[in-house]
Amino acid sequence: MHFVVLTIFPEMFDSFWDHGIIRRAISQNNISASTLNIRAFAEGRHKVTDDRPYGGGCGMVMKPEPLARAIQEAKKQKPLAQAILLTPQGRVFDQHVAREFASFEDLILVCGRYEGVDERVCEDFIDFEVSIGDYILTGGELAAMVIMDSLTRLIPGALGGEDSAEKDSFSDDLLEHAHYTRPKTFEGSDVPEVLLSGHHGEIEKWRLETSLIRTFLKRQDLLAKKPLTNPEIEILKKWCRDIERIIHAQSSLGSDALSGPE
Ligand code: 4GY
């Protein structure tokens, strides 16, 4: 996949391309990336990319012509590319959207600045509007990096060996299990026994159970929309039975317990 980033601040991406998994993915040809400076498509000696809003009001609007010309140039370079505008008005990005986009040939990531982008560019030159979350950035650049980062780790080979688990739809909508590494004891706290047992079946069971309980405790919204597997349903049912047993045991306790805190 090739990413073409359209921005007035191309230097913001230098350090992004140059580190970690992204850098390795580029050097292994899993992905490639380039920027087009929107300012280079602006006219006049000052190469102005913004102007005052029709109808008045504060702030500036990104002029349509330079942006439209930049998108046209990007599409000429990558005719199969989809043009994505990063904006809080777009479809909210998550791992499902990431998997959809990972199957695209190439992407043009359009980074707006100022108070907004002229509406006619959005209508005529943009294929998708995407938001990375319900907050407002000063420009689309950080959002473009977020999208490229998450798509890169879905490209086969880019993660180097560890990628199969993540792409498995089995891990959809569940938080990751807890992770531990050496030392065995840290600040008086031990690594769970089962992880030292070498019993891979038990370890997998434990990891699924911790994934489920963490998702239940921290993100019930994810669990509510997740299609549960049979082992997951069995684990949840066992918890229900355990909790009910504890509640029922209360009736056989003395009056002290019953008159305790509400
Ligand atoms: N949130 N998700 C976001 C954003 C900044 C004005 C258009 C977001 O993706 N992008 O806040 N972008 C705005 C700034 C022009 C982009």
Side-chain angles (χ1 to χ4, degrees):
M1 174 171 321
H2 185 86
F3 301 115
V4 188
V5 180
L6 274 46
T7 171
I8 58 168
F9 295 128
E11 299 83 3
M12 282 183 72
F13 294 84
D14 293 347
S15 128
F16 176 67
W17 309 136
D18 228 34
H19 291 89
I21 304 280
I22 305 293
R23 177 192 170 116
R24 193 182 62 192
I26 292 171
S27 65
Q28 291 177 347
N29 292 319
N30 296 123
I31 59 161
S32 54
S34 57
T35 53
L36 285 177
N37 192 336
I38 297 164
R39 198 172 296 283
F41 298 86
E43 285 180 355
R45 198 158 60 85
H46 296 290
K47 303 278 179 197
V48 177
T49 56
D50 61 336
D51 204 344
R52 291 171 12 243
Y54 275 120
C58 55
M60 299 293 267
V61 176
M62 200 162 223
K63 284 171 71 62
E65 308 96 319
L67 198 49
R69 282 195 287 265
I71 297 170
Q72 280 169 328
E73 170 58 27
K75 288 227 165 169
K76 205 169 95 192
Q77 292 177 7
K78 297 287 168 189
L80 299 177
Q82 304 287 329
I84 292 181
L85 177 69
L86 290 314
T87 163
Q89 308 200 8
R91 174 174 175 203
V92 178
F93 191 75
D94 64 10
Q95 197 63 22
H96 301 277
V97 182
R99 288 200 191 91
E100 263 180 57
F101 285 10
S103 66
F104 287 170
E105 202 66 40
D106 299 310
L107 283 189
I108 299 163
L109 296 148
V110 181
C111 305
R113 280 271 154 178
Y114 319 115
E115 295 307 305
V117 171
D118 188 286
E119 188 62 24
R120 293 159 295 183
V121 172
C122 310
E123 287 168 1
D124 302 340
F125 295 87
I126 296 295
D127 299 303
F128 298 97
E129 293 186 346
V130 171
S131 167
I132 61 161
D134 293 336
Y135 40 80
I136 306 171
L137 304 169
T138 59
E141 285 79 5
L142 285 172
M145 291 185 213
V146 167
I147 306 282
M148 292 187 285
D149 194 282
S150 64
L151 295 191
T152 298
R153 59 192 299 294
L154 292 177
I155 308 286
L159 276 191
E162 315 147 25
D163 40 342
S164 52
E166 155 50 41
K167 277 177 287 176
D168 197 342
S169 64
F170 178 71
S171 54
D172 270 5
D173 290 321
L174 275 191
L175 300 180
E176 275 273 272
H177 59 76
H179 298 276
Y180 295 90
T181 186
R182 291 183 293 179
K184 213 150 91 178
T185 303
F186 174 70
E187 306 262 307
S189 171
D190 291 338
V191 173
E193 269 307 317
V194 60
L195 298 181
L196 312 173
S197 71
H199 194 310
H200 294 296
E202 289 301 310
I203 291 170
E204 277 320 299
K205 241 176 73 184
W206 180 88
R207 285 183 170 163
L208 175 59
E209 199 155 342
T210 62
S211 272
L212 264 175
I213 194 90
R214 283 147 80 99
T215 313
F216 175 72
L217 291 174
K218 298 183 184 181
R219 291 294 305 275
Q220 277 195 41
D221 59 310
L222 292 181
L223 213 50
K225 67 177 182 190
K226 174 184 169 28
L228 294 167
T229 65
N230 275 330
E232 288 163 355
I233 292 170
E234 286 315 311
I235 291 167
L236 293 170
K237 281 184 178 165
K238 189 175 87 61
W239 291 345
C240 288
R241 289 194 299 272
D242 289 349
I243 291 166
E244 272 175 0
R245 191 155 26 74
I246 288 166
I247 293 168
H248 284 127
Q250 292 293 308
S251 52
S252 62
L253 292 176
S255 57
D256 273 1
L258 292 172
S259 59
E262 286 296 300

Short mmCIF file of all heavy atoms in Angstrom, two decimals, residues 144-175:
data_model
loop_
_atom_site.label_atom_id
_atom_site.label_comp_id
_atom_site.label_asym_id
_atom_site.label_seq_id
_atom_site.Cartn_x
_atom_site.Cartn_y
_atom_site.Cartn_z
N ALA A 144 -3.87 11.53 10.37
CA ALA A 144 -3.33 10.76 9.24
C ALA A 144 -2.28 9.77 9.73
O ALA A 144 -2.24 8.62 9.27
CB ALA A 144 -2.72 11.71 8.20
N MET A 145 -1.45 10.20 10.69
CA MET A 145 -0.44 9.28 11.25
C MET A 145 -1.10 8.12 11.98
O MET A 145 -0.65 6.97 11.87
CB MET A 145 0.50 10.03 12.19
CG MET A 145 1.41 11.02 11.47
SD MET A 145 2.59 11.77 12.62
CE MET A 145 2.72 13.40 11.89
N VAL A 146 -2.16 8.41 12.72
CA VAL A 146 -2.89 7.35 13.44
C VAL A 146 -3.40 6.30 12.44
O VAL A 146 -3.22 5.10 12.64
CB VAL A 146 -4.05 7.95 14.26
CG1 VAL A 146 -5.00 6.87 14.75
CG2 VAL A 146 -3.52 8.76 15.43
N ILE A 147 -4.02 6.77 11.36
CA ILE A 147 -4.57 5.86 10.35
C ILE A 147 -3.45 5.02 9.73
O ILE A 147 -3.55 3.78 9.65
CB ILE A 147 -5.29 6.65 9.22
CG1 ILE A 147 -6.34 7.61 9.78
CG2 ILE A 147 -5.86 5.70 8.17
CD1 ILE A 147 -7.61 7.01 10.20
N MET A 148 -2.36 5.68 9.30
CA MET A 148 -1.27 4.96 8.65
C MET A 148 -0.63 3.96 9.60
O MET A 148 -0.28 2.84 9.21
CB MET A 148 -0.22 5.95 8.13
CG MET A 148 -0.74 6.78 6.98
SD MET A 148 0.53 7.79 6.22
CE MET A 148 0.71 9.08 7.45
N ASP A 149 -0.48 4.35 10.87
CA ASP A 149 0.12 3.47 11.87
C ASP A 149 -0.70 2.19 12.05
O ASP A 149 -0.17 1.08 11.99
CB ASP A 149 0.22 4.23 13.21
CG ASP A 149 1.12 3.53 14.20
OD1 ASP A 149 0.66 2.54 14.81
OD2 ASP A 149 2.26 3.94 14.35
N SER A 150 -2.00 2.35 12.21
CA SER A 150 -2.84 1.16 12.46
C SER A 150 -2.98 0.31 11.21
O SER A 150 -3.07 -0.91 11.31
CB SER A 150 -4.20 1.57 13.01
OG SER A 150 -4.90 2.31 12.04
N LEU A 151 -2.99 0.93 10.02
CA LEU A 151 -3.09 0.14 8.78
C LEU A 151 -1.79 -0.63 8.54
O LEU A 151 -1.83 -1.79 8.11
CB LEU A 151 -3.39 1.02 7.57
CG LEU A 151 -4.74 1.73 7.55
CD1 LEU A 151 -5.01 2.33 6.17
CD2 LEU A 151 -5.87 0.77 7.91
N THR A 152 -0.66 0.00 8.85
CA THR A 152 0.62 -0.65 8.59
C THR A 152 0.74 -1.96 9.35
O THR A 152 1.18 -2.97 8.81
CB THR A 152 1.78 0.31 8.95
OG1 THR A 152 1.70 1.46 8.11
CG2 THR A 152 3.13 -0.38 8.74
N ARG A 153 0.31 -1.96 10.63
CA ARG A 153 0.45 -3.21 11.38
C ARG A 153 -0.52 -4.30 10.93
O ARG A 153 -0.41 -5.45 11.36
CB ARG A 153 0.39 -2.96 12.90
CG ARG A 153 -0.86 -2.33 13.42
CD ARG A 153 -0.68 -1.89 14.87
NE ARG A 153 -0.37 -3.00 15.78
CZ ARG A 153 -1.19 -3.99 16.06
NH1 ARG A 153 -2.39 -4.04 15.55
NH2 ARG A 153 -0.84 -4.96 16.90
N LEU A 154 -1.43 -3.97 10.01
CA LEU A 154 -2.32 -4.99 9.43
C LEU A 154 -1.79 -5.52 8.09
O LEU A 154 -2.34 -6.48 7.55
CB LEU A 154 -3.73 -4.43 9.23
CG LEU A 154 -4.51 -4.12 10.51
CD1 LEU A 154 -5.86 -3.51 10.18
CD2 LEU A 154 -4.69 -5.39 11.35
N ILE A 155 -0.75 -4.88 7.54
CA ILE A 155 -0.20 -5.34 6.26
C ILE A 155 0.61 -6.61 6.50
O ILE A 155 1.47 -6.62 7.37
CB ILE A 155 0.73 -4.25 5.62
CG1 ILE A 155 0.03 -2.90 5.52
CG2 ILE A 155 1.28 -4.72 4.28
CD1 ILE A 155 -1.02 -2.77 4.46
N PRO A 156 0.31 -7.70 5.77
CA PRO A 156 1.02 -8.96 6.00
C PRO A 156 2.53 -8.77 5.96
O PRO A 156 3.06 -8.14 5.05
CB PRO A 156 0.55 -9.85 4.84
CG PRO A 156 -0.80 -9.31 4.48
CD PRO A 156 -0.70 -7.82 4.71
N GLY A 157 3.21 -9.27 6.97
CA GLY A 157 4.67 -9.19 7.03
C GLY A 157 5.20 -7.99 7.77
O GLY A 157 6.34 -8.00 8.23
N ALA A 158 4.39 -6.95 7.93
CA ALA A 158 4.90 -5.69 8.50
C ALA A 158 5.24 -5.81 9.98
O ALA A 158 6.16 -5.15 10.46
CB ALA A 158 3.90 -4.56 8.28
N LEU A 159 4.51 -6.67 10.73
CA LEU A 159 4.79 -6.82 12.16
C LEU A 159 5.89 -7.84 12.41
O LEU A 159 6.42 -7.91 13.51
CB LEU A 159 3.53 -7.23 12.93
CG LEU A 159 2.58 -6.12 13.36
CD1 LEU A 159 1.54 -6.68 14.33
CD2 LEU A 159 3.32 -4.97 14.01
N GLY A 160 6.21 -8.64 11.41
CA GLY A 160 7.28 -9.62 11.56
C GLY A 160 6.93 -10.78 12.47
O GLY A 160 7.38 -10.84 13.60
N GLY A 161 6.11 -11.71 11.97
CA GLY A 161 5.86 -12.95 12.70
C GLY A 161 4.71 -12.90 13.69
O GLY A 161 3.96 -13.86 13.79
N GLU A 162 4.56 -11.78 14.38
CA GLU A 162 3.56 -11.71 15.45
C GLU A 162 2.19 -11.26 14.93
O GLU A 162 1.28 -11.03 15.72
CB GLU A 162 3.99 -10.73 16.54
CG GLU A 162 5.41 -10.86 16.97
CD GLU A 162 5.99 -9.50 17.37
OE1 GLU A 162 5.20 -8.63 17.77
OE2 GLU A 162 7.20 -9.33 17.26
N ASP A 163 2.06 -11.11 13.61
CA ASP A 163 0.86 -10.44 13.11
C ASP A 163 -0.39 -11.32 13.08
O ASP A 163 -1.47 -10.80 13.13
CB ASP A 163 1.10 -9.79 11.75
CG ASP A 163 1.95 -10.62 10.82
OD1 ASP A 163 2.63 -11.53 11.30
OD2 ASP A 163 1.91 -10.35 9.62
N SER A 164 -0.23 -12.64 13.01
CA SER A 164 -1.39 -13.50 12.77
C SER A 164 -2.45 -13.36 13.85
O SER A 164 -3.63 -13.30 13.56
CB SER A 164 -0.96 -14.94 12.62
OG SER A 164 -0.16 -15.31 13.71
N ALA A 165 -2.01 -13.29 15.10
CA ALA A 165 -2.96 -13.23 16.22
C ALA A 165 -3.85 -12.00 16.12
O ALA A 165 -5.06 -12.09 16.29
CB ALA A 165 -2.22 -13.23 17.55
N GLU A 166 -3.24 -10.86 15.84
CA GLU A 166 -4.00 -9.61 15.79
C GLU A 166 -5.04 -9.64 14.70
O GLU A 166 -6.16 -9.19 14.89
CB GLU A 166 -3.03 -8.44 15.60
CG GLU A 166 -3.58 -7.19 14.95
CD GLU A 166 -4.88 -6.69 15.56
OE1 GLU A 166 -5.04 -6.70 16.77
OE2 GLU A 166 -5.77 -6.30 14.76
N LYS A 167 -4.68 -10.19 13.54
CA LYS A 167 -5.61 -10.13 12.42
C LYS A 167 -6.73 -11.16 12.55
O LYS A 167 -7.72 -11.10 11.85
CB LYS A 167 -4.84 -10.32 11.10
CG LYS A 167 -4.22 -9.00 10.64
CD LYS A 167 -3.40 -9.17 9.40
CE LYS A 167 -2.11 -9.88 9.75
NZ LYS A 167 -1.29 -10.17 8.59
N ASP A 168 -6.54 -12.10 13.47
CA ASP A 168 -7.55 -13.08 13.77
C ASP A 168 -8.81 -12.37 14.28
O ASP A 168 -8.74 -11.63 15.24
CB ASP A 168 -7.01 -13.98 14.88
CG ASP A 168 -7.78 -15.27 15.00
OD1 ASP A 168 -8.91 -15.32 14.49
OD2 ASP A 168 -7.25 -16.19 15.60
N SER A 169 -9.95 -12.60 13.63
CA SER A 169 -11.17 -11.90 14.04
C SER A 169 -11.61 -12.33 15.43
O SER A 169 -12.42 -11.70 16.08
CB SER A 169 -12.29 -12.16 13.05
OG SER A 169 -12.62 -13.53 13.04
N PHE A 170 -11.04 -13.44 15.91
CA PHE A 170 -11.29 -13.95 17.25
C PHE A 170 -11.01 -12.89 18.31
O PHE A 170 -11.70 -12.81 19.33
CB PHE A 170 -10.37 -15.17 17.46
CG PHE A 170 -10.46 -15.79 18.81
CD1 PHE A 170 -11.59 -16.51 19.17
CD2 PHE A 170 -9.42 -15.69 19.71
CE1 PHE A 170 -11.67 -17.10 20.41
CE2 PHE A 170 -9.49 -16.27 20.95
CZ PHE A 170 -10.63 -16.99 21.30
N SER A 171 -10.00 -12.06 18.10
CA SER A 171 -9.62 -11.06 19.10
C SER A 171 -10.40 -9.75 18.94
O SER A 171 -10.14 -8.78 19.62
CB SER A 171 -8.12 -10.79 19.02
OG SER A 171 -7.75 -10.43 17.71
N ASP A 172 -11.36 -9.72 18.01
CA ASP A 172 -12.21 -8.54 17.80
C ASP A 172 -12.93 -8.14 19.08
O ASP A 172 -13.51 -8.97 19.75
CB ASP A 172 -13.31 -8.86 16.78
CG ASP A 172 -12.86 -8.56 15.38
OD1 ASP A 172 -11.69 -8.20 15.21
OD2 ASP A 172 -13.69 -8.70 14.47
N ASP A 173 -12.91 -6.86 19.40
CA ASP A 173 -13.75 -6.34 20.47
C ASP A 173 -13.47 -6.94 21.83
O ASP A 173 -14.33 -6.92 22.70
CB ASP A 173 -15.24 -6.50 20.11
CG ASP A 173 -15.62 -5.56 18.98
OD1 ASP A 173 -15.13 -4.42 18.97
OD2 ASP A 173 -16.41 -5.97 18.11
N LEU A 174 -12.29 -7.51 22.01
CA LEU A 174 -11.86 -7.91 23.35
C LEU A 174 -10.58 -7.15 23.67
O LEU A 174 -9.72 -6.97 22.81
CB LEU A 174 -11.55 -9.41 23.40
CG LEU A 174 -12.68 -10.39 23.66
CD1 LEU A 174 -12.10 -11.77 23.93
CD2 LEU A 174 -13.57 -9.95 24.82
N LEU A 175 -10.45 -6.69 24.92
CA LEU A 175 -9.19 -6.07 25.32
C LEU A 175 -8.13 -7.16 25.45
O LEU A 175 -8.45 -8.33 25.69
CB LEU A 175 -9.37 -5.35 26.66
CG LEU A 175 -10.41 -4.22 26.68
CD1 LEU A 175 -10.48 -3.58 28.06
CD2 LEU A 175 -10.10 -3.17 25.62
#
